[in-house]
Amino acid sequence: MEFLAAAIAVGLGALGAGLGNGMIVSKTVESIARQPEARNALQTTMFIGVGIVEVIPLAATVIAFLIMFSS
């Protein structure tokens, strides 16, 4: 049962990060298309946002390892 809980934690973490990254990148591309002169500022903000979103699957993986090795 611990392995199922760990798999669900990692899977949902990866799913959430994937959706979040997709939304961030799509909105950034839309914004660059509307205002090409703001490209550098938008890309910097996008990379910071993607980095923050990528913490979620890492935290989910740590939680999964804690679940697996706690007993």
Side-chain angles (χ1 to χ4, degrees), residues 5-67:
I8 289 172
V10 170
L12 290 178
L15 178 68
L19 291 173
N21 282 336
M23 291 176 66
I24 289 171
V25 172
S26 71
K27 293 299 179 184
T28 302
V29 170
E30 282 181 23
S31 299
I32 290 173
R34 272 188 260 131
Q35 293 182 329
E37 66 275 2
R39 178 181 177 181
N40 290 333
L42 290 170
Q43 281 183 337
T44 302
T45 305
M46 179 192 76
F47 286 131
I48 291 171
V50 167
I52 291 171
V53 168
E54 286 298 322
V55 171
I56 295 170
L58 293 174
T61 303
V62 169
I63 290 170
F65 280 128
L66 289 174
I67 291 170

